[in-house]
Amino acid sequence: MSSTHPPVTIVDEDDHVIGSKDITQAYIDNDIVRISRIFLVNNQGQVLLQKRSDSIERWPGVWDQSAAGHVDKDENYEEAAYREMREELGITGDVVLNKVDYYFADEELDNNERSRRFNAIFVGTYSDELNPDPEEVSGTKWLTLDELDKLIEQDPKQFTPGMLASFIRARPAITKLVSVVK
């Protein structure tokens, strides 16, 4: 991520806001950040995935959930979720998101840094046009849950670790949503 990104929210081990700083510095300092993750389902019961741009620093060129991103300074999880859908996918229409899970993750990154973050997972329905930002997204695809399960089983490395962890947690809510929209 470039340093042009607004400061992100820094939290303590109980997810209480303690400040904000540049995202690159937050990772260097091993700070805990907040992430919003969104899974969108269309009116055919398919889940939207986005392929991360090759120019993105972390996990370039791999598949991710519909949209996701850090919670910026003075934002809450839900505000960040809606902003990320606008920025990454060009979604400006009505989408109702429901928060379905929340968890802490602590992962070691390739460069010996750690990624410590609280993750809020949202699901919602969306079937209109997408206008992805090519700086962030190199492609999108809609998949049934069965198709997504098969891809994950065949080659989990084609997905970000955060997507895999959050998909497991969001799957019951996604399954329920798919049964409602079909």
Side-chain angles (χ1 to χ4, degrees), residues 57-122:
E57 182 180 345
R58 290 191 168 84
W59 300 288
V62 298
W63 291 101
D64 216 344
Q65 59 273 306
S66 306
H70 293 90
V71 176
D72 290 344
K73 178 183 179 184
D74 300 325
E75 248 183 351
N76 63 38
Y77 287 105
E78 185 174 346
E79 291 166 336
Y82 283 103
R83 177 183 48 77
E84 290 295 343
M85 287 191 306
R86 268 191 324 274
E87 289 177 0
E88 294 179 2
L89 301 171
I91 294 176
T92 57
D94 291 336
V95 179
V96 176
L97 295 177
N98 294 302
K99 186 174 170 185
V100 299
D101 204 349
Y102 167 83
Y103 68 101
F104 179 76
D106 185 351
E107 299 171 356
E108 188 168 332
L109 302 175
D110 292 341
N111 54 5
N112 292 326
E113 292 177 357
R114 296 204 72 74
S115 175
R116 300 186 325 143
R117 60 193 182 272
F118 283 96
N119 298 265
I121 304 172
F122 296 87

Side-chain angles (χ1 to χ4, degrees), residues 140-158:
T140 60
K141 83 168 105 172
W142 292 96
L143 297 169
T144 65
L145 282 172
D146 286 343
E147 291 168 334
L148 181 50
D149 288 338
K150 285 177 187 163
L151 281 178
I152 291 170
E153 185 180 320
Q154 289 170 355
D155 184 10
K157 291 195 181 302
Q158 67 181 314

Side-chain angles (χ1 to χ4, degrees), residues 5-87:
H5 188 280
V8 297
T9 300
I10 305 299
V11 296
D12 65 15
E13 291 82 7
D14 296 317
D15 198 18
H16 297 122
V17 176
I18 57 173
S20 64
K21 66 172 69 167
D22 175 79
I23 185 59
T24 303
Q25 193 61 49
Y27 278 101
I28 291 169
D29 295 344
N30 200 29
D31 289 321
I32 302 172
V33 297
R34 290 176 166 176
I35 303 279
S36 290
R37 299 181 180 279
I38 304 101
F39 290 92
L40 296 174
V41 175
N42 67 14
N43 56 12
Q44 296 176 37
Q46 298 168 308
V47 179
L48 177 67
L49 295 184
Q50 68 159 273
K51 191 168 198 176
R52 295 169 65 86
S53 166
D54 288 333
S55 64
I56 291 192
E57 182 180 345
R58 290 191 168 84
W59 300 288
V62 298
W63 291 101
D64 216 344
Q65 59 273 306
S66 306
H70 293 90
V71 176
D72 290 344
K73 178 183 179 184
D74 300 325
E75 248 183 351
N76 63 38
Y77 287 105
E78 185 174 346
E79 291 166 336
Y82 283 103
R83 177 183 48 77
E84 290 295 343
M85 287 191 306
R86 268 191 324 274
E87 289 177 0

